[in-house]
Amino acid sequence: MDEQSFSDNGFSLHVKIFDEPAFREKLPLVDNEVHLYRIFFSRQKQHLGDFIRVLSDDEKIDAARFHFQTDREHFIISHGMLRKVLSQYLDVEPIGLKFSYGVYRKPVLEGTPDGCSLCFNMSHSHDIALFALAWNSRIGVDVEYVHFIPDAEVIAKRFFAPQENIAFSAVPPNKKLEAFYNCWTRKEAFLKAMGDGLSRRLDSFTVSLVPEEPARLLSVEGEPLETSRWHLSAFKPAHQYVGAFAVEGN
Ligand SMILES: CC(C)(COP(=O)(O)OP(=O)(O)OC[C@H]1O[C@@H](n2cnc3c(N)ncnc32)[C@H](O)[C@@H]1OP(=O)(O)O)[C@@H](O)C(=O)NCCC(=O)NCCS
């Protein structure tokens, strides 16, 4: 387990990064703390039966809809694992957990309005899934598998905010891909924390992206106080992956 403490922007945040859940005892998660879990799908495939057993009937129906076996297995593993991870913090068996969904499909634990109680979010890319948890603070997480994107500049022009594009243009060619994924994962983490999906314009908020500079939410259009209410953090979940999470201060 890796531990990091941050103290900036009025935040005092303690992050624990777990490499696979232990499932042994109830875990303490205190206010101003974030727990992050990283799993590799390839290592979990052998437990597929265990994950299927904890899914709801609806999740089993959703899993069966996937055309490709790999996608189906990843869905089963990530949703089963999410239940097992959440259950470590609550007096509820994994199969007993009930979810409800926001307008833009952000899942929350049923009976807990978004923004209170045990908040969580998950993300998956290629062989990795991440799960992020915090009490009473909206949270969003994103992971991306880093691979060459031939039209990165075109995508940046289309989706990044003007200030992000200025910063992106100044990044040297050998750092461009890293900068691109920094921006992408940080924007996605913030969007996912807010839960309003792509209803929020991608160029209506700005994040830092320059490699080696800290992750920051720099501006939110029309909401100047938002930047001080959120903590944005970047990390490297594994070789060739970029990750970020955004968590609301309380
Ligand atoms: C759906 C979306 C939430 C993320 O999609 P994604 O990056 O493809 O997927 P991730 O693996 O990171 O996250 C998926 C998980 O987030 C959760 N999720 C779903 N809707 C969500 C929402 N509105 N808010 C937060 N979390 C959500 C679910 O647990 C989902 O898991 P599931 O698909 O297995 O049910 C949404 O932000 C989106 O459509 N993004 C489009 C990508 C884009 O244009 N990004 C621009 C960045 S510059």
Side-chain angles (χ1 to χ4, degrees):
M1 185 184 64
D2 200 11
E3 295 199 33
Q4 293 164 19
S5 288
F6 301 89
S7 195
D8 75 311
N9 214 1
F11 273 88
S12 172
L13 192 67
H14 191 69
V15 181
K16 290 186 180 171
I17 303 175
F18 300 88
D19 196 11
E20 323 258 318
F23 304 133
R24 273 192 294 274
E25 57 206 32
K26 209 170 157 200
L27 277 177
L29 170 67
V30 296
D31 276 351
N32 290 335
E33 196 170 66
V34 167
H35 285 184
L36 278 174
Y37 290 85
R38 174 195 71 169
I39 61 155
F40 291 97
F41 289 117
S42 49
R43 293 187 199 162
Q44 298 296 335
K45 270 191 185 163
Q46 52 182 324
H47 308 301
L48 206 61
D50 289 345
F51 293 120
I52 292 175
R53 268 191 285 281
V54 301
L55 297 184
S56 67
D57 290 343
D58 283 350
E59 283 168 325
K60 286 179 193 159
I61 291 168
D62 287 345
R65 287 203 184 107
F66 284 96
H67 181 69
F68 294 108
Q69 187 181 344
T70 306
D71 294 336
R72 187 161 52 246
E73 289 176 353
H74 287 191
F75 180 92
I76 291 167
I77 294 168
S78 56
H79 286 249
M81 185 62 90
L82 174 67
R83 286 175 169 275
K84 285 172 177 256
V85 166
L86 291 172
S87 155
Q88 288 186 121
Y89 298 85
L90 304 161
D91 287 324
V92 184
E93 289 297 310
I95 198 165
L97 292 169
K98 291 198 173 16
F99 300 101
S100 58
Y101 300 87
V103 180
Y104 299 99
R105 299 295 300 158
K106 180 172 181 171
V108 294
L109 282 162
E110 195 167 273
T112 61
D114 198 6
C116 84
S117 195
L118 185 58
C119 301
F120 68 91
N121 196 230
M122 80 161 156
S123 180
H124 31 77
S125 180
H126 202 57
D127 194 30
I128 278 189
L130 294 179
F131 308 88
L133 291 88
W135 281 114
N136 301 312
S137 297
R138 284 184 293 172
I139 189 162
V141 67
D142 191 53
V143 60
E144 297 295 337
Y145 175 64
V146 176
H147 57 282
F148 177 65
I149 302 180
D151 49 355
E153 310 251 355
V154 179
I155 297 173
K157 287 249 157 16
R158 179 151 173 221
F159 294 113
F160 293 2
Q163 221 185 311
E164 290 164 346
N165 265 305
I166 292 170
F168 188 60
S169 317
V171 171
N174 63 335
K175 298 270 183 188
K176 277 262 194 275
L177 193 62
E178 190 182 345
F180 178 86
Y181 278 103
N182 283 348
C183 190
W184 189 276
T185 48
R186 292 168 198 183
K187 286 180 95 64
E188 193 74 20
F190 180 63
L191 272 183
K192 293 182 72 186
M194 303 286 283
D196 39 9
L198 293 178
S199 68
R200 181 175 287 264
R201 276 187 11 256
L202 287 168
D203 62 357
S204 67
F205 62 98
T206 312
V207 298
S208 63
L209 57 81
V210 176
E212 278 99 50
E213 286 183 10
R216 287 227 185 283
L217 177 64
L218 298 172
S219 68
V220 180
E221 193 178 86
E223 297 172 87
L225 296 180
E226 284 299 271
T227 52
S228 57
R229 289 198 338 101
W230 291 88
H231 176 85
L232 190 61
S233 201
F235 55 98
K236 217 172 156 16
H239 175 63
Q240 243 185 307
Y241 288 86
V242 175
F245 73 83
V247 63
E248 192 177 28
N250 49 34

